[in-house]
């Protein structure tokens, strides 16, 4: 199938743009931003909905404060973001204003979306903004996000937002052409990869860690984000953000950038949220029979399949299921606390009541609350 055929049903696009695209020596690159905004406005004319995840706050704030080199401390980065975020929005607002388009700002932290109610509220807000024809510009709430509430980088943030807005396509605009089989900055032999149908260990190894001085991600984080996004059935393109008209080219079906195709089977929105948004509170080691039941037979996890419990978690917590080889194969919300599972592991469901004195559930994790992340082929995807 041609590139065009693979994206022909796309109507809603999540565009993520990195600091390395948006900024130069002189802080925000106004020409590039104008070029990007023109490209997005042209897509809107063609009937596409666009949601934008934009970096650039820290880089812009750093430049405004006249700071050279890397910002070293977290408070410095947070303060730079406080200065830069307002500027970033003003630049976008002016550029979109020329097309008669209003912009809305949404700043998120991880804790905003790990809570299911808040997740759904944010979703309603984002859908309302889309209904209003506003271009929503999303960034991490850098000034308040520290350590565990941090998305870590905007590649990851965009992967989470893609699920929230039910994007049909994610385009990650970067300072490279796309993915190569090795780092093109280090090797002249590096070969461009236009299409990825499965994220194999070789593909992951091809992507290196280094981020630019102003961005956080590096190619590795883009490929890890692609892995999450395609797990929910959304195709993902890493493309050159400074290339004029790049978004229109992509929607014209040109072979621009690297396209990652989703597998035939993918997670629904709620299971994606469980797999990739929630932080795991512990691990359940499971035997081969339980692995078969979860991965291939679409069944729930029963106490009989659990061989070991790690961590201290309570009913309803997200917990990772790990196979005998140590691979994380699923994540789900448990029906019993860690201590109770320790007491009932290896037993039949019919024995739960006599051991615990109560039995609210037959399953340790019900199928509806279980996101299987191991593909049927046996290769293992990671979950967050
Ligand atoms: N949120 C950061 C900013 O706006 C960028 C994070 C990233 O580069 O991934 O500056």
């Amino acid at each position: 199938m041609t590139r065009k055929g693979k994206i022909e049903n796309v109507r809603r696009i999540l565009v993520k743009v990195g600091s390395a695209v948006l900024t130069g020596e002189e802080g925000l690159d106004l020409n590039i931003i104008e070029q990007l905004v023109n490209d997005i406005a042209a897509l809107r004319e063609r009937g596409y909905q666009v949601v934008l995840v934009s970096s650039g706050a820290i880089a812009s704030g750093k430049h405004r404060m006249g700071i050279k080199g890397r910002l070293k401390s977290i408070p410095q980065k947070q303060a730079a973001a406080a200065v830069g975020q307002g500027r970033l929005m003003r630049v976008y607002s002016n550029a979109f204003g020329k097309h008669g388009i209003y912009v809305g700002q949404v700043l998120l932290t991880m804790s905003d979306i790990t809570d299911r109610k808040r997740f759904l509220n944010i979703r309603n807000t984002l859908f309302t903004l889309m209904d209003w024809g506003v271009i929503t510009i999303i960034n991490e709430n850098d000034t308040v996000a520290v350590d565990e509430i941090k998305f870590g980088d905007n590649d990851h943030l965009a992967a989470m937002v893609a699920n929230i807005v039910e994007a049909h396509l994610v385009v990650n605009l970067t300072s490279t052409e796309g993915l190569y089989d090795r780092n093109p900055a280090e090797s002249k032999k590096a070969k461009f990869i236009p299409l990825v149908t499965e994220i194999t260990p070789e593909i992951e190894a091809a992507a290196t860690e280094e981020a630019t001085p102003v961005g956080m991600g590096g190619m590795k984080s883009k490929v890890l984000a692609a892995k999450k996004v395609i797990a929910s059935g959304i195709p993902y393109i890493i493309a050159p953000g400074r290339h004029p008209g790049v978004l229109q080219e992509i929607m014209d079906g040109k072979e621009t950038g690297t396209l990652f195709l989703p597998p035939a089977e993918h997670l629904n929105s709620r299971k994606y949220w469980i797999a990739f948004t929630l932080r795991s509170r512990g691990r359940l080691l499971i035997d081969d029979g339980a692995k078969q039941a979860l991965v291939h037979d679409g069944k729930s996890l029963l106490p009989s399949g659990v061989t070991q419990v790690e961590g201290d978690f309570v009913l309803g917590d997200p917990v990772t299921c790990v196979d005998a080889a140590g691979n994380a194969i699923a994540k789900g919300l448990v029906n019993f606390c860690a201590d109770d599972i320790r007491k009932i592991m290896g037993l039949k469901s019919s024995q739960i009541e006599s051991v615990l004195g109560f039995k609210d559930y037959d399953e340790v994790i019900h199928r509806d609350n279980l996101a299987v992340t191991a593909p049927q082929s046996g290769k293992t995807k990671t979950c967050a």
Side-chain angles (χ1 to χ4, degrees):
M1 199 197 281
T2 59
R3 183 63 97 76
K4 199 173 185 127
K6 290 179 189 113
I7 55 167
E8 72 187 346
N9 294 326
V10 170
R11 297 319 308 157
R12 184 176 305 141
I13 310 162
L14 180 85
V15 176
K16 184 259 162 182
V17 58
S19 306
V21 173
L22 297 174
T23 58
E25 288 292 299
E26 295 306 312
L28 288 179
D29 184 332
L30 302 185
N31 293 329
I32 286 292
I33 293 181
E34 183 137 340
Q35 181 180 295
L36 171 68
V37 166
N38 292 345
D39 206 11
I40 293 175
L43 284 190
R44 291 237 320 185
E45 284 289 308
R46 290 167 59 173
Y48 293 103
Q49 276 181 328
V50 179
V51 176
L52 186 60
V53 171
S54 177
S55 302
I58 296 175
S60 167
K62 182 173 93 97
H63 178 261
R64 290 234 126 173
M65 293 297 102
I67 300 168
K68 304 265 178 254
R70 280 180 187 269
L71 295 167
K72 289 188 183 72
S73 70
I74 296 273
Q76 274 192 356
K77 285 185 186 162
Q78 295 186 303
V83 175
Q85 182 64 30
R87 160 121 180 105
L88 184 65
M89 284 308 293
R90 186 153 57 82
V91 171
Y92 273 125
S93 179
N94 288 343
F96 276 111
K98 291 184 191 157
H99 298 273
I101 298 171
Y102 289 118
V103 295
Q105 170 186 266
V106 175
L107 300 178
L108 294 174
T109 62
M110 197 65 184
S111 60
D112 294 324
I113 60 164
T114 48
D115 180 288
R116 187 77 188 156
K117 262 198 208 144
R118 279 160 78 185
F119 174 97
L120 294 172
N121 281 338
I122 292 163
R123 190 175 179 280
N124 291 339
T125 307
L126 294 177
F127 274 92
T128 304
L129 287 163
M130 282 191 274
D131 283 349
W132 285 354
V134 166
I135 291 279
T136 306
I137 303 174
I138 301 170
N139 197 355
E140 182 160 14
N141 195 353
D142 291 307
T143 47
V144 300
V146 275
D147 296 337
E148 61 186 324
I149 59 165
K150 273 186 86 107
F151 285 105
D153 63 65
N154 277 5
D155 297 318
H156 183 53
L157 169 64
M160 299 300 114
V161 174
N163 177 38
I164 300 176
V165 300
E166 294 169 22
H168 305 148
L169 173 70
V170 173
V171 180
N172 191 336
L173 296 176
T174 71
S175 54
T176 68
E177 292 298 307
L179 185 68
Y180 289 80
D181 64 351
R182 66 198 84 176
N183 189 345
E186 284 165 11
S187 169
K188 284 209 181 87
K189 287 193 192 140
K191 268 201 359 230
F192 186 70
I193 306 174
L195 180 67
V196 175
T197 49
E198 186 179 0
I199 300 185
T200 58
E202 294 76 50
I203 293 285
E204 278 192 46
T208 49
E209 301 270 357
E210 309 89 70
T212 61
V214 285
M216 294 205 206
M219 193 48 86
K220 182 131 231 144
S221 96
K222 291 169 193 16
V223 170
L224 290 178
K227 199 168 172 172
K228 290 173 186 159
V229 170
I230 63 172
S232 67
I234 305 171
Y236 193 93
I237 297 179
I238 298 176
R242 290 185 161 245
H243 184 86
V246 58
L247 296 172
Q248 291 185 79
E249 257 187 26
I250 287 171
M251 296 324 295
D252 287 341
K254 300 224 170 85
E255 301 274 328
T256 308
T258 301
L259 168 65
F260 295 75
L261 282 183
E265 286 196 27
H266 47 80
L267 301 171
N268 66 28
S269 170
R270 186 165 174 282
K271 291 196 175 184
Y272 182 88
W273 174 76
I274 291 173
F276 298 119
T277 310
L278 298 183
R279 191 176 286 254
S280 183
R281 301 280 167 202
R283 298 184 353 139
L284 296 175
L285 273 56
I286 63 169
D287 63 20
D288 289 345
K291 179 179 176 181
Q292 167 73 25
L294 263 52
V295 177
H296 300 283
D297 304 336
K299 299 251 172 70
S300 300
L301 178 64
L302 300 175
S304 56
V306 180
T307 57
Q308 202 179 315
V309 179
E310 292 176 7
D312 183 21
F313 47 82
V314 299
L315 188 158
D317 271 351
V319 168
T320 305
C321 301
V322 179
D323 69 8
N327 299 311
I329 59 157
K331 199 195 281 178
L333 309 179
V334 281
N335 284 337
F336 298 90
C337 69
D339 283 344
D340 285 348
I341 301 175
R342 285 190 181 97
K343 289 179 198 149
I344 60 172
M345 66 187 188
L347 302 181
K348 293 203 166 71
S349 298
S350 57
Q351 296 172 279
I352 295 176
E353 185 153 14
S354 62
V355 175
L356 297 182
F358 68 92
K359 188 181 81 165
D360 293 337
Y361 302 94
D362 280 337
E363 316 82 14
V364 169
I365 302 176
H366 190 274
R367 183 74 209 168
D368 291 348
N369 294 324
L370 184 80
V372 175
T373 49
Q376 308 240 327
S377 68
K379 291 203 181 84
T380 304
K381 295 177 198 167
T382 48
C383 40

